[in-house]
Structures are given as C-alpha cells and as structure tokens.
Amino acid sequence: MTERTGGRKVVTNMSLSLDGHYAGPRDPQDMSWVMPYAHTDVVRDHLAGLWEPATTALLGRVNAEGFLGFWPTVIGMEGADPRDEAFAKWLVDTDKVVLSSTLGEAPWERSTIVDKPTAEVVADLKATEGGDILVLSSASVIKALLAADAVDRLAITIFPVFLGGGPRLFDDGLPAGKWALVSQAAGEHGTLALVYDRIR
C-alpha cells in the first residue's frame, strides 16, 4: 500500500537541478535558471496533476510573497496558457496557509498566517476535511516535513542544468524510508517530472 486510506495527503512540489540543488550558490531567491524549462508542456501538466486534487496551499513567507505577487497577474493576461491561468485561479481561490514568524496579518485573500512548527501545522490540517495539502516550492517547509517524515507524495521536476553549488533539498539524516514511483514524464529539453508516494 503506497498511501494512507482516507484523510488528506501532504504533497510537496520542488524543482531541482540535475546536480541536486534547488537554488544556485549566490542567491537562493534567483530562480532565473528555472525559467527556460518552466513553460513547457511537461511542467504545466505536472503541476496541474498536483493542484487539481488540492484544496489547501501551504507556503513559506518568501514563496507566498513571490507566488502571490506574480500568479494573480496571469489571470486575464493576453496570450496566457490556459493551464497557467487555471493554476493562477486555483491559487487565488484556494485556502492558503502561510508559515511566518514575521507577518502579522495576511495581505492576500483566503490566507491564514501561522507561526507554529511546520509538522504541527500539517498535523492540524490533516485533522480537518478537505483535499490534498500542496506545498509549492517552499524549500524550508518541505525540508521540515521530510525531516518529520510527514510527506505523503513527493513531486520533483528535474531540469537538465548544473548549478555547481547551492542549497540541497535532501539533507543527510532524513528518516529512512521507501517510496513508490507513481508517475513519470519526460519533456522538452530533457526535463523530467517525477511523482513518488511514501510507502508506509
């Protein structure tokens, strides 16, 4: 059995370089290396498969500011890919939980600011009704959930570029465990979209 029966799944999504980094060595917020690959069919379809079953987005503050500063502008944008616009509408309309110790109140609609340990927040969310809980590219959140063995589905997009350094998603000392590959897709430029379920 690859997933728990019933209840909400915690799904994490992250882009990685071929040499295993989620950001380059100089500026962890510089995602320009992703852009040549992000607007491809395989990446758009991969993301759609993750957000469509989800009813909650879980984000760190930095990613919330980036995502919620950009994606709403895609709605109604001339020439926007329908898949991008659909994701943007989902992100605006879905419940968002933003983990932050510095934000006092949420500047975005349908958002809640929470200043508690990540695993505790997820345990609280899993105790409620709803669809998947999707963690969108927030490395600090994903790393905390991996360390707590609280990820049910791990989605990774691998882009064919070496960054030559920078932070890694998978630190030594993570709980040992097995994962089952549930989907794989190869796309333009050699991009790989992989989804694994935690075997418990």
Side-chain angles (χ1 to χ4, degrees):
M1 186 174 230
T2 59
E3 62 187 65
R4 294 184 180 122
T5 53
R8 309 182 70 182
K9 283 202 300 285
V10 176
V11 181
T12 63
N13 185 46
M14 198 70 183
S15 299
L16 296 178
S17 65
L18 194 55
D19 59 345
H21 303 281
Y22 63 81
R26 285 176 293 284
D27 179 3
Q29 294 183 42
D30 176 15
M31 296 303 290
S32 59
W33 64 277
V34 166
M35 297 321 292
Y37 312 102
H39 302 296
T40 57
D41 287 336
V42 70
V43 172
R44 285 177 167 127
D45 293 343
H46 172 73
L47 185 57
L50 301 175
W51 68 256
E52 286 173 353
T55 56
T56 303
L58 180 61
L59 299 150
R61 179 190 59 81
V62 171
N63 260 54
E65 290 172 345
F67 270 66
L68 297 169
F70 169 72
W71 280 104
T73 68
V74 173
I75 300 170
M77 182 186 290
E78 188 176 344
D81 186 286
R83 292 166 293 186
D84 292 344
E85 200 165 0
F87 171 68
K89 287 176 180 173
W90 172 83
L91 188 61
V92 168
D93 293 341
T94 201
D95 292 327
K96 292 166 284 291
V97 176
V98 180
L99 296 167
S100 175
S101 59
T102 56
L103 283 178
E105 59 183 45
W108 315 285
E109 291 182 20
R110 298 193 65 127
S111 299
T112 305
I113 306 297
V114 181
D115 181 12
K116 290 188 346 190
T118 304
E120 192 178 319
V121 172
V122 162
D124 290 346
L125 287 171
K126 288 192 81 163
T128 64
E129 294 294 317
D132 290 351
I133 301 156
L134 178 57
V135 186
L136 290 162
S137 303
S138 294
S140 62
V141 177
I142 296 172
K143 286 162 81 83
L145 293 173
L146 287 169
D149 197 11
V151 175
D152 301 308
R153 174 163 286 181
L154 179 68
I156 306 167
T157 312
I158 300 174
F159 297 133
V161 58
F162 276 19
L163 292 178
R168 294 183 178 277
L169 185 64
F170 303 114
D171 295 325
D172 286 347
L174 289 175
K178 292 185 177 180
W179 298 78
L181 180 67
V182 293
S183 73
Q184 58 185 316
E188 304 93 318
H189 316 297
T191 299
L192 286 177
L194 304 169
V195 179
Y196 292 90
D197 276 356
R198 180 75 167 90
I199 300 173
R200 300 193 187 276

